[in-house]
Each structure stands twice: as C-alpha cells, then as structure tokens.
C-alpha cells in the first residue's frame, strides 16, 4: 500500500512538472486532469507528460522529438508493453474500449482511416504529438474525430 501511494504521489508530481513545462514551452493551455491512473497506464501517462513541449517530427521516436505513434510506442515500452510502430497497427493491440470506458493510459485513435494516436489522460483529454510545426501537447479528445480506443497490456 505504501508503494502505491508513493507511485500516485510521484505521478501527481510528474503531472505538475509537466504542466509547468507546458506553460513555458508550448502545448495546450488546457489544465491537466487530476484523474488517477494505475499500474502500466500510469507509467505510460507519466512518460508522455514528461515529453510536453518537445517538437513533433514525422517518424521520430524520441528522445527529443516525436511523432504520434513514436510517442505512444515509447510511453508504453516504459511499462513493458511492446506496441507496433504505426497508429493504424497500434489499434490492434490490447482490449477495445469505448469512449465512455476510457481510463488514463488508454490509446485513443483518430480519423478514418486511422492516422493519429494519443494517450488518454482522463477528464476528456489526451496527450499527443500533434503535427509538423507543433509540440507534444494536451488537448481535448473532441479536438479530433474519434475513431476508437484500446487498453494495452
């Protein structure tokens, strides 16, 4: 129990630090939701939020720039879950969930055909590497046309 409390506090600290970085380095103006995640989902969320403000670069897998599926792939790798490289392939991993069932850490897919992916944060928000000329940011899920979601791992 002590460990899970320490992990939750660490996640809260990381979200606060990420919000501060976003306010200095770009990204969305949206406040980060305070929705607790658990286990592997929390690890993926914390990793993705630590990248806020870093530039989008097509085909990039970090550590200093990202494209959407590169970010989600590396975030879930931190939790020990292997994802394919493309957003269209990532939707085939894990358990499909509806928009109303989303939990922090779930992968959220956009457009038809699927061409974009982010990580659900809770509170109707997603962290994602947006597009060329922009940075990793937090935006409302409704910002783009929702196509589906999965829960990896």
């Amino acid at each position: 129990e002590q460990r899970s409390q320490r992990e939750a506090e660490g996640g809260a600290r990381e979200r606060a630090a990420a919000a501060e970085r976003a306010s200095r380095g770009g990204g969305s103006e949206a406040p980060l939701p305070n929705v607790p995640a658990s286990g592997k989902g929390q690890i993926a969320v914390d990793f993705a939020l630590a990248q806020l403000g870093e530039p989008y670069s097509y085909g990039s897998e970090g550590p200093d720039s990202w494209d959407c599926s590169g970010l989600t792939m590396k975030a879930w790798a931190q939790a020990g879950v292997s994802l394919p490289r493309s957003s269209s392939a990532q939707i085939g991993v894990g358990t499909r969930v509806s928009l109303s069932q989303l939990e922090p850490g779930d992968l959220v897919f956009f457009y038809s055909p699927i061409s974009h992916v982010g990580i659900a944060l809770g509170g109707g928000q997603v962290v994602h590497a947006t597009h060329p000329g922009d940075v990793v940011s937090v935006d409302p899920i409704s910002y783009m046309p929702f196509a589906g979601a999965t829960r990896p791992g």
Side-chain angles (χ1 to χ4, degrees), residues 108-136:
V108 183
F109 299 89
F110 302 94
Y111 303 106
S112 180
I114 291 168
S115 59
H116 189 68
V117 62
I119 297 176
L121 297 176
Q125 294 185 317
V126 62
V127 58
H128 60 137
T130 55
H131 53 78
D134 206 350
V135 297
V136 175

Side-chain angles (χ1 to χ4, degrees), residues 18-33 49 51-54 121 124-128 130 134-141 143:
E20 175 62 24
R21 282 193 300 278
S23 71
R24 289 192 315 263
S28 171
E29 297 287 323
L32 295 177
L49 288 175
Q51 314 316 309
L52 284 175
E54 292 185 359
L121 297 176
Q125 294 185 317
V126 62
V127 58
H128 60 137
T130 55
D134 206 350
V135 297
V136 175
S137 62
V138 173
D139 289 297
I141 290 173
Y143 179 73

Side-chain angles (χ1 to χ4, degrees), residues 37-136:
S38 61
K40 293 179 180 184
Q42 183 66 59
I43 294 167
V45 164
D46 288 346
F47 180 87
L49 288 175
Q51 314 316 309
L52 284 175
E54 292 185 359
Y56 176 97
S57 177
Y58 181 78
S60 184
E61 299 174 8
D64 299 316
S65 64
W66 305 93
D67 74 2
C68 65
S69 56
L71 177 64
T72 56
M73 182 181 74
K74 291 291 184 171
W76 273 97
Q78 302 304 303
V81 176
S82 178
L83 295 176
R85 180 60 181 90
S86 71
S87 57
S88 61
Q90 287 179 3
I91 196 165
V93 176
T95 304
R96 293 294 291 263
V97 295
S98 70
L99 190 57
S100 65
Q101 296 170 317
L102 281 179
E103 294 179 3
D106 289 347
L107 296 176
V108 183
F109 299 89
F110 302 94
Y111 303 106
S112 180
I114 291 168
S115 59
H116 189 68
V117 62
I119 297 176
L121 297 176
Q125 294 185 317
V126 62
V127 58
H128 60 137
T130 55
H131 53 78
D134 206 350
V135 297
V136 175

